[in-house]
């Protein structure tokens, strides 16, 4: 009975978190900005939920704690800055909250997050946006090389992106329903992993078979191209080419007919066998980490229920 209460409590907590997140999102459209010194950058944030009275901006540098830059009323007005952030300014324009950094210097390179306090069900918490990474460099953004691999059982698709600058992108999955692309059903598990300048995403289809896998698209958004690029498996067991659905942007490298992931990688592929093995092990570690987190939360909920009973 106690075990059942633990699972129910954990499920309710997860559902509440998903509900709150869906109801009060902060959207930062731009994943990255690459600017040279002395330039000005404007980072935007939109509030689609139930923020309280103010919107906050934070700066996070690699190896350092997150610092608040300033905060501004949701209705606009003069922002209140923290000490040391004199070059930063904020404004509200038509429901969009903007952080402006003037006269850029290398020290400004960091990831910037908008945040606000949200109250739901009598509880208050601070909600953060996904973040926008600012790169201060003379180097121009370079779109990544993207490779798709499929498993021998034809249920898994692995999308790998590498050789990009900056090394941040957004990778999502879409599914072709015969007339248009749809968001992938959330019941289908997806995993994102970032390592050594490589971003990979694994999706497991509800059904097996090459025809099912060919419906999926790996969508990549990067500063190096203003348009989202979509990639799909174009080879089939019979060696045919799939011409249905939207056009696929070049270059695209797809895993050929093989008996496993490793043999899908040749000397000409943009990812080595050792790297592919490392990615697979990383996914295993992510699953183990999730199980550990679930177990810890279950123990905490169980102890709290014992104290209140």
């Amino acid at each position: 009975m106690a075990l059942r209460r633990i699972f129910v409590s954990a499920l309710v907590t997860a559902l509440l978190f998903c509900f709150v997140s869906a109801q009060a999102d902060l959207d930062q459209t731009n994943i990255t900005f690459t600017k040279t010194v002395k330039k000005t950058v404007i980072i935007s944030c939109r509030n689609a939920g139930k923020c309280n009275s103010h919107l906050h901006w934070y700066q996070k540098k690699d190896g350092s704690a997150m610092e608040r830059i300033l905060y501004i009323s949701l209705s606009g007005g003069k922002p209140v800055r923290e000490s040391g952030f004199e070059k930063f300014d904020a404004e509200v324009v038509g429901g969009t909250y903007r952080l402006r950094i003037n006269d850029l210097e290398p020290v400004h390179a960091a990831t910037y997050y908008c945040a606000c306090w949200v109250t739901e069900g009598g509880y208050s918490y601070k909600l953060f946006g996904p973040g926008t990474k600012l790169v201060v460099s003379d180097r121009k953004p370079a779109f990544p090389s993207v490779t798709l691999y499929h498993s021998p059982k034809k249920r898994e698709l692995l999308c790998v992106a590498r050789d990009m600058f900056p090394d941040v992108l957004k990778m999502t999955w879409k599914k072709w329903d015969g007339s248009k692309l749809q968001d992938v059903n959330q019941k289908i598990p997806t995993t994102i992993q970032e390592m050594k300048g490589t971003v990979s995403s694994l999706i497991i289809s509800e059904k097996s078979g090459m025809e099912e896998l060919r419906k999926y698209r790996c969508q990549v958004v990067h500063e190096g191209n203003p348009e989202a690029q979509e990639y799909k498996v174009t080879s089939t067991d019979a060696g045919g080419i799939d011409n249905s659905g939207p056009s696929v942007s070049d270059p695209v490298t797809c895993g050929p007919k093989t008996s496993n992931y490793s043999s899908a990688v040749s000397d000409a592929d943009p990812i080595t066998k050792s790297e592919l093995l490392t990615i697979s092990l990383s996914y295993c570690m992510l699953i183990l980490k999730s199980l550990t987190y679930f177990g810890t939360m279950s123990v905490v909920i169980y102890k709290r229920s014992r104290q209140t009973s």
Side-chain angles (χ1 to χ4, degrees):
M1 190 67 178
L3 184 60
R4 181 183 297 178
R5 285 202 339 237
I6 292 174
F7 277 100
V8 171
S9 299
L11 179 60
V12 170
T13 302
L15 290 175
L16 178 61
F17 174 80
C18 293
F19 174 78
V20 169
S21 298
Q23 293 296 315
D25 287 337
L26 289 176
D27 181 35
Q28 294 179 243
T29 304
N30 294 96
I31 305 171
T32 60
F33 276 115
T34 303
K35 298 286 185 179
T36 58
V37 294
K38 303 299 181 181
K39 296 293 184 179
T40 297
V41 66
I42 298 177
I43 302 173
S44 299
C45 173
R46 291 190 64 85
N47 169 28
K50 301 178 181 179
C51 287
N52 292 344
S53 58
H54 293 83
L55 187 115
H56 307 253
W57 283 98
Y58 286 84
Q59 180 192 72
K60 175 67 174 70
K61 295 184 178 181
D62 293 339
S64 302
M66 187 177 289
E67 293 185 84
R68 187 171 70 173
I69 302 168
L70 52 79
Y71 61 92
I72 186 172
S73 171
L74 295 180
S75 59
K78 186 177 180 180
V80 179
R81 297 181 186 84
E82 301 291 346
S83 177
F85 293 101
E86 288 73 21
K87 289 188 177 182
F88 293 74
D89 199 2
E91 60 182 351
V92 182
V93 180
T96 299
Y97 302 88
R98 296 179 176 177
L99 176 70
R100 178 190 295 269
I101 312 174
N102 299 307
D103 195 19
L104 282 174
E105 300 177 11
V107 70
H108 294 138
T111 301
Y112 293 88
Y113 299 88
C114 58
C116 69
W117 283 100
V118 175
T119 302
E120 290 282 351
Y123 293 93
S124 295
Y125 62 94
K126 183 164 283 188
L127 179 73
F128 284 82
T132 298
K133 184 174 182 178
L134 173 62
V135 179
V136 182
S137 173
D138 293 330
R139 185 177 173 184
K140 294 183 179 180
F143 195 80
S145 171
V146 179
T147 308
L148 271 179
Y149 300 91
H150 61 75
S151 69
K153 295 182 180 179
K154 300 178 179 58
R155 284 200 62 190
E156 298 85 22
L157 276 174
L158 179 64
C159 187
V160 181
R162 58 178 299 165
D163 300 330
M164 63 270 194
F165 182 81
D167 60 350
V168 178
L169 55 77
K170 181 179 180 181
M171 186 178 287
T172 55
W173 290 95
K174 302 286 184 179
K175 189 174 182 180
W176 181 255
D177 66 358
S179 59
K180 60 181 178 180
L181 288 174
Q182 301 279 3
D183 291 335
V184 172
N185 192 324
Q186 294 301 310
K187 294 181 180 179
I188 302 176
T190 60
T191 309
I192 297 288
Q193 176 68 21
E194 299 182 24
M195 52 180 293
K196 297 181 180 179
T198 299
V199 179
S200 61
S201 178
L202 176 71
I203 187 171
I204 302 176
S205 173
E206 291 179 331
K207 300 178 182 179
S208 61
M210 180 58 68
E211 289 301 318
E212 183 69 14
L213 288 186
R214 290 167 63 203
K215 297 177 183 179
Y216 289 93
R217 309 291 191 267
C218 176
Q219 188 178 83
V220 177
V221 178
H222 186 268
E223 185 183 354
N225 194 318
E227 300 289 337
Q229 303 299 299
E230 293 158 1
Y231 301 88
K232 63 181 178 179
V233 175
T234 56
S235 63
T236 66
D237 288 338
I241 301 298
D242 179 15
N243 294 316
S244 63
S247 59
V248 181
S249 302
D250 293 328
V252 180
T253 305
C254 299
K257 307 182 292 293
T258 58
S259 58
N260 51 53
Y261 278 121
S262 298
S263 60
V265 186
S266 64
D267 294 337
D269 287 320
I271 185 169
T272 65
K273 293 182 179 181
S274 60
E275 289 174 327
L276 194 58
L277 178 60
T278 304
I279 292 171
S280 301
L281 292 176
S282 298
Y283 284 117
C284 294
M285 292 301 297
L286 284 174
I287 294 173
L288 181 60
K289 181 179 178 182
S290 299
L291 291 174
T292 304
Y293 176 78
F294 176 77
T296 303
M297 291 301 298
S298 299
V299 172
V300 171
I301 294 173
Y302 176 72
K303 288 184 177 180
R304 288 184 177 179
S305 64
R306 287 287 299 273
Q307 292 175 354
T308 57
S309 60

